[in-house]
Short mmCIF file of all heavy atoms in Angstrom, two decimals:
data_model
loop_
_atom_site.label_atom_id
_atom_site.label_comp_id
_atom_site.label_asym_id
_atom_site.label_seq_id
_atom_site.Cartn_x
_atom_site.Cartn_y
_atom_site.Cartn_z
N ALA A 98 137.85 122.40 129.81
CA ALA A 98 138.35 123.12 130.99
C ALA A 98 139.86 122.99 131.17
O ALA A 98 140.46 123.77 131.92
CB ALA A 98 137.65 122.61 132.25
N ALA A 99 140.48 122.02 130.49
CA ALA A 99 141.92 121.81 130.62
C ALA A 99 142.69 122.25 129.37
O ALA A 99 143.92 122.16 129.33
CB ALA A 99 142.21 120.35 130.92
N ARG A 100 142.00 122.74 128.37
CA ARG A 100 142.67 123.13 127.12
C ARG A 100 143.44 124.43 127.31
O ARG A 100 143.09 125.26 128.14
CB ARG A 100 141.64 123.29 126.00
CG ARG A 100 141.04 121.96 125.60
CD ARG A 100 140.01 122.09 124.52
NE ARG A 100 139.38 120.80 124.29
CZ ARG A 100 138.19 120.65 123.74
NH1 ARG A 100 137.51 121.70 123.32
NH2 ARG A 100 137.70 119.45 123.58
N GLY A 101 144.51 124.56 126.54
CA GLY A 101 145.31 125.77 126.60
C GLY A 101 146.38 125.75 127.67
O GLY A 101 147.14 126.71 127.81
N ALA A 102 146.46 124.66 128.42
CA ALA A 102 147.45 124.57 129.51
C ALA A 102 148.60 123.64 129.15
O ALA A 102 149.41 123.30 130.00
CB ALA A 102 146.77 124.06 130.78
N GLY A 103 148.68 123.21 127.88
CA GLY A 103 149.77 122.34 127.45
C GLY A 103 149.54 120.86 127.69
O GLY A 103 150.44 120.05 127.48
N VAL A 104 148.34 120.49 128.12
CA VAL A 104 148.05 119.08 128.41
C VAL A 104 148.15 118.23 127.15
O VAL A 104 148.75 117.15 127.17
CB VAL A 104 146.65 118.93 129.05
CG1 VAL A 104 146.30 117.47 129.26
CG2 VAL A 104 146.58 119.70 130.35
N GLY A 105 147.57 118.70 126.06
CA GLY A 105 147.63 117.94 124.81
C GLY A 105 149.06 117.71 124.35
O GLY A 105 149.43 116.60 123.96
N ARG A 106 149.87 118.75 124.44
CA ARG A 106 151.27 118.63 124.04
C ARG A 106 152.01 117.63 124.93
O ARG A 106 152.78 116.80 124.45
CB ARG A 106 151.93 120.01 124.11
CG ARG A 106 153.30 120.08 123.47
CD ARG A 106 153.81 121.51 123.37
NE ARG A 106 152.89 122.43 122.72
CZ ARG A 106 152.73 122.54 121.40
NH1 ARG A 106 153.45 121.79 120.59
NH2 ARG A 106 151.88 123.40 120.89
N LYS A 107 151.75 117.66 126.24
CA LYS A 107 152.39 116.72 127.16
C LYS A 107 151.97 115.28 126.87
O LYS A 107 152.80 114.36 126.89
CB LYS A 107 152.07 117.07 128.61
CG LYS A 107 152.77 118.31 129.09
CD LYS A 107 152.34 118.66 130.50
CE LYS A 107 152.92 119.99 130.93
NZ LYS A 107 152.40 120.44 132.22
N LEU A 108 150.68 115.08 126.62
CA LEU A 108 150.20 113.73 126.29
C LEU A 108 150.84 113.23 125.00
O LEU A 108 151.31 112.10 124.92
CB LEU A 108 148.67 113.73 126.16
CG LEU A 108 147.87 113.83 127.44
CD1 LEU A 108 146.41 114.15 127.14
CD2 LEU A 108 147.97 112.54 128.25
N LEU A 109 150.87 114.09 123.99
CA LEU A 109 151.44 113.71 122.70
C LEU A 109 152.92 113.37 122.83
O LEU A 109 153.39 112.37 122.29
CB LEU A 109 151.22 114.83 121.68
CG LEU A 109 151.72 114.57 120.27
CD1 LEU A 109 151.08 113.32 119.67
CD2 LEU A 109 151.43 115.78 119.39
N HIS A 110 153.66 114.16 123.57
CA HIS A 110 155.10 113.90 123.73
C HIS A 110 155.36 112.64 124.55
O HIS A 110 156.31 111.91 124.27
CB HIS A 110 155.82 115.13 124.27
CG HIS A 110 155.98 116.19 123.23
ND1 HIS A 110 156.87 116.08 122.18
CD2 HIS A 110 155.32 117.35 123.04
CE1 HIS A 110 156.76 117.15 121.40
NE2 HIS A 110 155.83 117.93 121.90
N ALA A 111 154.52 112.37 125.55
CA ALA A 111 154.67 111.12 126.31
C ALA A 111 154.48 109.93 125.38
O ALA A 111 155.26 108.95 125.43
CB ALA A 111 153.66 111.07 127.45
N LEU A 112 153.49 110.01 124.51
CA LEU A 112 153.22 108.93 123.56
C LEU A 112 154.39 108.76 122.59
O LEU A 112 154.86 107.64 122.35
CB LEU A 112 151.93 109.23 122.81
CG LEU A 112 151.52 108.22 121.75
CD1 LEU A 112 150.01 108.06 121.74
CD2 LEU A 112 152.00 108.63 120.37
N LEU A 113 154.88 109.85 122.02
CA LEU A 113 155.96 109.75 121.04
C LEU A 113 157.27 109.29 121.68
O LEU A 113 158.01 108.49 121.07
CB LEU A 113 156.15 111.09 120.31
CG LEU A 113 154.97 111.49 119.42
CD1 LEU A 113 155.21 112.87 118.83
CD2 LEU A 113 154.72 110.46 118.32
N ASP A 114 157.56 109.73 122.89
CA ASP A 114 158.75 109.25 123.59
C ASP A 114 158.66 107.74 123.81
O ASP A 114 159.63 107.01 123.60
CB ASP A 114 158.93 109.96 124.93
CG ASP A 114 159.34 111.41 124.80
OD1 ASP A 114 159.77 111.84 123.69
OD2 ASP A 114 159.23 112.14 125.80
N HIS A 115 157.49 107.28 124.21
CA HIS A 115 157.29 105.85 124.43
C HIS A 115 157.42 105.07 123.11
O HIS A 115 158.05 104.01 123.09
CB HIS A 115 155.91 105.60 125.06
CG HIS A 115 155.61 104.16 125.27
ND1 HIS A 115 156.23 103.41 126.25
CD2 HIS A 115 154.78 103.31 124.62
CE1 HIS A 115 155.76 102.17 126.19
NE2 HIS A 115 154.88 102.09 125.22
N ALA A 116 156.84 105.60 122.04
CA ALA A 116 156.93 104.93 120.74
C ALA A 116 158.39 104.76 120.32
O ALA A 116 158.79 103.69 119.85
CB ALA A 116 156.15 105.72 119.69
N ARG A 117 159.18 105.79 120.52
CA ARG A 117 160.61 105.70 120.19
C ARG A 117 161.31 104.69 121.09
O ARG A 117 162.09 103.86 120.61
CB ARG A 117 161.26 107.07 120.33
CG ARG A 117 160.90 108.03 119.23
CD ARG A 117 161.61 109.39 119.36
NE ARG A 117 161.20 110.28 118.31
CZ ARG A 117 160.24 111.20 118.45
NH1 ARG A 117 159.63 111.39 119.61
NH2 ARG A 117 159.91 111.97 117.42
N ASP A 118 161.02 104.73 122.40
CA ASP A 118 161.64 103.78 123.34
C ASP A 118 161.29 102.34 123.00
O ASP A 118 162.10 101.44 123.24
CB ASP A 118 161.18 104.07 124.78
CG ASP A 118 161.76 105.36 125.34
OD1 ASP A 118 162.71 105.93 124.73
OD2 ASP A 118 161.25 105.81 126.38
N GLN A 119 160.11 102.12 122.46
CA GLN A 119 159.67 100.76 122.12
C GLN A 119 160.15 100.32 120.75
O GLN A 119 159.88 99.19 120.34
CB GLN A 119 158.14 100.67 122.18
CG GLN A 119 157.58 100.84 123.58
CD GLN A 119 158.06 99.75 124.51
OE1 GLN A 119 157.89 98.57 124.26
NE2 GLN A 119 158.72 100.15 125.59
N GLY A 120 160.84 101.19 120.03
CA GLY A 120 161.41 100.83 118.74
C GLY A 120 160.45 100.92 117.56
O GLY A 120 160.74 100.39 116.49
N PHE A 121 159.33 101.61 117.74
CA PHE A 121 158.44 101.80 116.59
C PHE A 121 159.14 102.68 115.56
O PHE A 121 159.87 103.60 115.91
CB PHE A 121 157.11 102.45 117.02
CG PHE A 121 156.20 101.51 117.75
CD1 PHE A 121 156.07 101.59 119.12
CD2 PHE A 121 155.49 100.54 117.06
CE1 PHE A 121 155.23 100.74 119.81
CE2 PHE A 121 154.65 99.67 117.74
CZ PHE A 121 154.52 99.77 119.11
N GLU A 122 158.90 102.38 114.31
CA GLU A 122 159.49 103.14 113.21
C GLU A 122 158.56 104.22 112.68
O GLU A 122 159.00 105.18 112.06
CB GLU A 122 159.86 102.19 112.08
CG GLU A 122 160.88 101.13 112.48
CD GLU A 122 161.01 100.02 111.46
OE1 GLU A 122 160.48 100.14 110.34
OE2 GLU A 122 161.65 99.01 111.81
N HIS A 123 157.27 104.02 112.92
CA HIS A 123 156.26 104.86 112.28
C HIS A 123 155.05 104.99 113.20
O HIS A 123 154.65 104.01 113.82
CB HIS A 123 155.86 104.16 110.96
CG HIS A 123 154.94 104.95 110.11
ND1 HIS A 123 155.36 105.77 109.10
CD2 HIS A 123 153.59 105.04 110.11
CE1 HIS A 123 154.32 106.32 108.51
NE2 HIS A 123 153.23 105.90 109.12
N VAL A 124 154.47 106.18 113.27
CA VAL A 124 153.21 106.40 113.98
C VAL A 124 152.23 107.01 112.99
O VAL A 124 152.56 107.94 112.26
CB VAL A 124 153.38 107.35 115.19
CG1 VAL A 124 152.04 107.57 115.88
CG2 VAL A 124 154.40 106.80 116.18
N LYS A 125 151.03 106.46 112.99
CA LYS A 125 149.96 106.98 112.13
C LYS A 125 148.78 107.36 113.01
O LYS A 125 148.66 106.91 114.16
CB LYS A 125 149.53 105.96 111.09
CG LYS A 125 148.81 104.75 111.68
CD LYS A 125 148.36 103.80 110.59
CE LYS A 125 147.60 102.62 111.22
NZ LYS A 125 147.10 101.71 110.20
N LEU A 126 147.90 108.16 112.47
CA LEU A 126 146.64 108.47 113.13
C LEU A 126 145.62 108.89 112.10
O LEU A 126 145.97 109.32 111.00
CB LEU A 126 146.83 109.58 114.18
CG LEU A 126 147.16 110.98 113.67
CD1 LEU A 126 145.91 111.83 113.53
CD2 LEU A 126 148.12 111.66 114.63
N TRP A 127 144.36 108.71 112.46
CA TRP A 127 143.24 109.16 111.65
C TRP A 127 142.46 110.19 112.45
O TRP A 127 142.26 110.04 113.65
CB TRP A 127 142.31 107.99 111.31
CG TRP A 127 142.91 107.05 110.31
CD1 TRP A 127 143.58 105.90 110.59
CD2 TRP A 127 142.90 107.19 108.90
NE1 TRP A 127 144.00 105.32 109.42
CE2 TRP A 127 143.59 106.08 108.37
CE3 TRP A 127 142.39 108.14 108.02
CZ2 TRP A 127 143.77 105.89 107.00
CZ3 TRP A 127 142.56 107.95 106.65
CH2 TRP A 127 143.25 106.84 106.16
N THR A 128 142.02 111.24 111.79
CA THR A 128 141.24 112.29 112.44
C THR A 128 140.32 112.90 111.40
O THR A 128 140.20 112.39 110.28
CB THR A 128 142.19 113.34 113.08
OG1 THR A 128 141.42 114.24 113.87
CG2 THR A 128 143.01 114.08 112.04
N VAL A 129 139.67 113.98 111.76
CA VAL A 129 138.82 114.71 110.82
C VAL A 129 139.29 116.15 110.73
O VAL A 129 139.93 116.68 111.64
CB VAL A 129 137.32 114.64 111.22
CG1 VAL A 129 136.80 113.21 111.10
CG2 VAL A 129 137.08 115.21 112.59
N GLY A 130 138.99 116.77 109.60
CA GLY A 130 139.50 118.10 109.29
C GLY A 130 139.09 119.21 110.23
O GLY A 130 139.77 120.22 110.32
N SER A 131 137.99 119.04 110.95
CA SER A 131 137.51 120.12 111.81
C SER A 131 138.30 120.24 113.12
O SER A 131 138.11 121.21 113.85
CB SER A 131 136.03 119.89 112.14
OG SER A 131 135.84 118.64 112.77
N LEU A 132 139.21 119.32 113.39
CA LEU A 132 139.96 119.35 114.65
C LEU A 132 141.29 120.10 114.45
O LEU A 132 142.38 119.53 114.49
CB LEU A 132 140.20 117.93 115.16
CG LEU A 132 138.91 117.12 115.36
CD1 LEU A 132 139.24 115.72 115.82
CD2 LEU A 132 137.99 117.81 116.35
N GLU A 133 141.19 121.40 114.26
CA GLU A 133 142.34 122.22 113.88
C GLU A 133 143.39 122.33 114.97
O GLU A 133 144.59 122.34 114.68
CB GLU A 133 141.86 123.60 113.44
CG GLU A 133 141.02 123.53 112.17
CD GLU A 133 140.30 124.83 111.85
OE1 GLU A 133 140.51 125.82 112.58
OE2 GLU A 133 139.55 124.84 110.87
N SER A 134 143.00 122.43 116.23
CA SER A 134 143.98 122.54 117.32
C SER A 134 144.83 121.28 117.40
O SER A 134 146.05 121.36 117.58
CB SER A 134 143.28 122.79 118.66
OG SER A 134 142.65 124.04 118.64
N ALA A 135 144.18 120.13 117.28
CA ALA A 135 144.93 118.87 117.30
C ALA A 135 145.87 118.80 116.09
O ALA A 135 147.02 118.37 116.22
CB ALA A 135 143.98 117.68 117.32
N ALA A 136 145.38 119.23 114.94
CA ALA A 136 146.21 119.20 113.73
C ALA A 136 147.48 120.03 113.93
O ALA A 136 148.57 119.62 113.49
CB ALA A 136 145.42 119.69 112.53
N ARG A 137 147.37 121.17 114.58
CA ARG A 137 148.56 122.00 114.83
C ARG A 137 149.56 121.25 115.72
O ARG A 137 150.77 121.31 115.48
CB ARG A 137 148.16 123.33 115.48
CG ARG A 137 147.66 124.36 114.50
CD ARG A 137 147.55 125.74 115.10
NE ARG A 137 146.61 125.84 116.20
CZ ARG A 137 145.30 125.97 116.06
NH1 ARG A 137 144.77 126.03 114.85
NH2 ARG A 137 144.52 126.05 117.11
N LEU A 138 149.05 120.55 116.72
CA LEU A 138 149.95 119.75 117.57
C LEU A 138 150.64 118.66 116.77
O LEU A 138 151.84 118.42 116.93
CB LEU A 138 149.18 119.12 118.74
CG LEU A 138 148.72 120.07 119.84
CD1 LEU A 138 147.86 119.32 120.84
CD2 LEU A 138 149.90 120.71 120.53
N TYR A 139 149.90 117.98 115.91
CA TYR A 139 150.49 116.92 115.09
C TYR A 139 151.58 117.48 114.18
O TYR A 139 152.68 116.93 114.10
CB TYR A 139 149.43 116.21 114.24
CG TYR A 139 148.29 115.61 115.01
CD1 TYR A 139 146.99 115.66 114.53
CD2 TYR A 139 148.50 114.96 116.24
CE1 TYR A 139 145.93 115.11 115.22
CE2 TYR A 139 147.44 114.40 116.93
CZ TYR A 139 146.17 114.48 116.43
OH TYR A 139 145.13 113.93 117.12
N LEU A 140 151.28 118.57 113.52
CA LEU A 140 152.26 119.17 112.60
C LEU A 140 153.49 119.66 113.36
O LEU A 140 154.62 119.46 112.91
CB LEU A 140 151.61 120.30 111.81
CG LEU A 140 150.53 119.86 110.82
CD1 LEU A 140 149.78 121.07 110.26
CD2 LEU A 140 151.10 118.99 109.71
N ASP A 141 153.29 120.28 114.53
CA ASP A 141 154.41 120.74 115.35
C ASP A 141 155.30 119.58 115.79
O ASP A 141 156.51 119.77 115.98
CB ASP A 141 153.92 121.49 116.59
CG ASP A 141 153.36 122.87 116.28
OD1 ASP A 141 153.52 123.35 115.13
OD2 ASP A 141 152.74 123.46 117.18
N ALA A 142 154.71 118.40 115.96
CA ALA A 142 155.47 117.22 116.39
C ALA A 142 156.15 116.51 115.22
O ALA A 142 156.88 115.55 115.43
CB ALA A 142 154.56 116.24 117.12
N GLY A 143 155.91 117.00 113.99
CA GLY A 143 156.57 116.41 112.83
C GLY A 143 155.70 115.52 111.96
O GLY A 143 156.17 114.98 110.95
N PHE A 144 154.44 115.33 112.32
CA PHE A 144 153.54 114.55 111.47
C PHE A 144 153.29 115.29 110.16
O PHE A 144 153.36 116.51 110.11
CB PHE A 144 152.19 114.34 112.16
CG PHE A 144 152.17 113.30 113.24
CD1 PHE A 144 152.52 113.62 114.54
CD2 PHE A 144 151.76 112.00 112.96
CE1 PHE A 144 152.49 112.67 115.55
CE2 PHE A 144 151.73 111.04 113.96
CZ PHE A 144 152.09 111.37 115.25
N ARG A 145 152.99 114.51 109.13
CA ARG A 145 152.57 115.07 107.84
C ARG A 145 151.20 114.51 107.51
O ARG A 145 150.94 113.33 107.74
CB ARG A 145 153.53 114.68 106.72
CG ARG A 145 154.90 115.30 106.79
CD ARG A 145 155.82 114.85 105.65
NE ARG A 145 155.84 113.40 105.44
CZ ARG A 145 155.24 112.77 104.43
NH1 ARG A 145 154.56 113.41 103.52
NH2 ARG A 145 155.32 111.46 104.31
N CYS A 146 150.33 115.35 106.95
CA CYS A 146 149.03 114.87 106.48
C CYS A 146 149.28 114.15 105.15
O CYS A 146 149.80 114.75 104.20
CB CYS A 146 148.05 116.02 106.30
SG CYS A 146 146.41 115.47 105.80
N THR A 147 148.96 112.86 105.10
CA THR A 147 149.29 112.04 103.92
C THR A 147 148.07 111.58 103.15
O THR A 147 148.22 111.03 102.06
CB THR A 147 150.09 110.80 104.36
OG1 THR A 147 149.33 110.06 105.31
CG2 THR A 147 151.44 111.21 104.96
N GLU A 148 146.89 111.79 103.69
CA GLU A 148 145.69 111.32 103.00
C GLU A 148 144.50 112.16 103.43
O GLU A 148 144.38 112.53 104.60
CB GLU A 148 145.46 109.85 103.39
CG GLU A 148 144.56 109.09 102.48
CD GLU A 148 144.54 107.61 102.82
OE1 GLU A 148 145.58 107.02 103.18
OE2 GLU A 148 143.44 107.04 102.73
N ARG A 149 143.63 112.47 102.46
CA ARG A 149 142.40 113.22 102.72
C ARG A 149 141.28 112.53 101.96
O ARG A 149 141.40 112.31 100.76
CB ARG A 149 142.50 114.66 102.22
CG ARG A 149 143.51 115.50 102.94
CD ARG A 149 143.62 116.90 102.29
NE ARG A 149 144.56 117.71 103.00
CZ ARG A 149 144.26 118.51 104.00
NH1 ARG A 149 143.02 118.61 104.42
NH2 ARG A 149 145.19 119.22 104.60
N ASN A 150 140.20 112.21 102.68
CA ASN A 150 139.07 111.54 102.04
C ASN A 150 137.77 112.19 102.49
O ASN A 150 137.51 112.28 103.69
CB ASN A 150 139.01 110.06 102.46
CG ASN A 150 140.27 109.31 102.10
OD1 ASN A 150 140.70 109.33 100.98
ND2 ASN A 150 140.86 108.67 103.09
N PRO A 151 136.94 112.62 101.53
CA PRO A 151 135.62 113.10 101.94
C PRO A 151 134.78 111.88 102.35
O PRO A 151 134.77 110.86 101.65
CB PRO A 151 135.07 113.77 100.69
CG PRO A 151 135.85 113.18 99.56
CD PRO A 151 137.17 112.72 100.11
N VAL A 152 134.12 111.97 103.50
CA VAL A 152 133.31 110.86 104.00
C VAL A 152 132.01 111.40 104.59
O VAL A 152 131.92 112.57 104.91
CB VAL A 152 134.06 110.03 105.07
CG1 VAL A 152 135.27 109.33 104.49
CG2 VAL A 152 134.44 110.89 106.26
N ARG A 153 131.04 110.52 104.69
CA ARG A 153 129.83 110.83 105.45
C ARG A 153 129.84 109.89 106.64
O ARG A 153 129.68 108.69 106.51
CB ARG A 153 128.59 110.63 104.61
CG ARG A 153 127.33 110.92 105.38
CD ARG A 153 126.27 111.58 104.50
NE ARG A 153 125.09 111.90 105.28
CZ ARG A 153 124.91 113.02 105.97
NH1 ARG A 153 125.82 113.96 105.96
NH2 ARG A 153 123.81 113.23 106.65
N GLN A 154 130.10 110.47 107.81
CA GLN A 154 130.20 109.67 109.03
C GLN A 154 129.57 110.44 110.18
O GLN A 154 129.68 111.66 110.25
CB GLN A 154 131.66 109.39 109.41
CG GLN A 154 132.35 108.38 108.54
CD GLN A 154 133.77 108.13 109.03
OE1 GLN A 154 134.50 109.05 109.32
NE2 GLN A 154 134.14 106.87 109.11
N TRP A 155 128.99 109.68 111.09
CA TRP A 155 128.54 110.22 112.37
C TRP A 155 127.57 111.39 112.20
O TRP A 155 127.54 112.32 112.99
CB TRP A 155 129.72 110.57 113.26
CG TRP A 155 130.70 109.44 113.31
CD1 TRP A 155 130.41 108.13 113.59
CD2 TRP A 155 132.09 109.47 113.04
NE1 TRP A 155 131.54 107.36 113.51
CE2 TRP A 155 132.60 108.17 113.19
CE3 TRP A 155 132.98 110.50 112.71
CZ2 TRP A 155 133.93 107.85 113.00
CZ3 TRP A 155 134.30 110.17 112.52
CH2 TRP A 155 134.77 108.86 112.66
N GLY A 156 126.79 111.31 111.09
CA GLY A 156 125.77 112.31 110.85
C GLY A 156 126.24 113.55 110.12
O GLY A 156 125.49 114.53 110.04
N HIS A 157 127.46 113.53 109.56
CA HIS A 157 128.00 114.71 108.89
C HIS A 157 128.83 114.33 107.67
O HIS A 157 129.38 113.25 107.59
CB HIS A 157 128.92 115.50 109.85
CG HIS A 157 128.20 116.09 110.99
ND1 HIS A 157 127.55 117.29 110.93
CD2 HIS A 157 128.02 115.63 112.25
CE1 HIS A 157 127.00 117.55 112.10
NE2 HIS A 157 127.27 116.55 112.91
N ARG A 158 128.96 115.31 106.78
CA ARG A 158 129.97 115.19 105.72
C ARG A 158 131.26 115.74 106.33
O ARG A 158 131.29 116.86 106.81
CB ARG A 158 129.58 116.01 104.50
CG ARG A 158 128.40 115.45 103.77
CD ARG A 158 128.18 116.16 102.43
NE ARG A 158 126.91 115.82 101.87
CZ ARG A 158 126.61 114.65 101.31
NH1 ARG A 158 127.52 113.71 101.24
NH2 ARG A 158 125.42 114.42 100.82
N LEU A 159 132.30 114.92 106.28
CA LEU A 159 133.57 115.28 106.92
C LEU A 159 134.71 115.03 105.97
O LEU A 159 134.58 114.29 104.99
CB LEU A 159 133.79 114.40 108.16
CG LEU A 159 132.74 114.43 109.24
CD1 LEU A 159 132.97 113.31 110.24
CD2 LEU A 159 132.76 115.78 109.94
N GLU A 160 135.84 115.60 106.30
CA GLU A 160 137.07 115.27 105.62
C GLU A 160 137.89 114.43 106.60
O GLU A 160 138.30 114.91 107.66
CB GLU A 160 137.85 116.52 105.22
CG GLU A 160 139.07 116.20 104.40
CD GLU A 160 139.77 117.44 103.89
OE1 GLU A 160 139.87 118.43 104.64
OE2 GLU A 160 140.24 117.40 102.75
N GLU A 161 138.07 113.15 106.25
CA GLU A 161 138.87 112.25 107.07
C GLU A 161 140.33 112.44 106.67
O GLU A 161 140.66 112.46 105.49
CB GLU A 161 138.43 110.81 106.82
CG GLU A 161 139.12 109.79 107.68
CD GLU A 161 138.61 108.39 107.39
OE1 GLU A 161 138.74 107.94 106.24
OE2 GLU A 161 138.10 107.77 108.33
#
Side-chain angles (χ1 to χ4, degrees):
R100 292 179 186 158
V104 176
R106 191 171 307 280
K107 288 177 186 173
L108 287 166
L109 181 58
H110 285 287
L112 179 143
L113 293 176
D114 289 346
H115 178 73
R117 287 182 182 97
D118 290 347
Q119 293 298 304
F121 286 104
E122 299 167 11
H123 186 94
V124 179
K125 68 178 182 178
L126 68 94
W127 288 95
T128 188
V129 294
S131 58
L132 303 178
E133 295 169 3
S134 294
R137 279 192 298 279
L138 288 175
Y139 302 141
L140 293 170
D141 287 349
F144 283 86
R145 291 179 312 105
C146 183
T147 58
E148 199 172 322
R149 294 175 178 269
N150 301 307
V152 295
R153 179 143 182 87
Q154 286 182 314
W155 311 309
H157 294 276
R158 291 189 192 286
L159 302 168
E160 186 175 40
E161 184 179 60

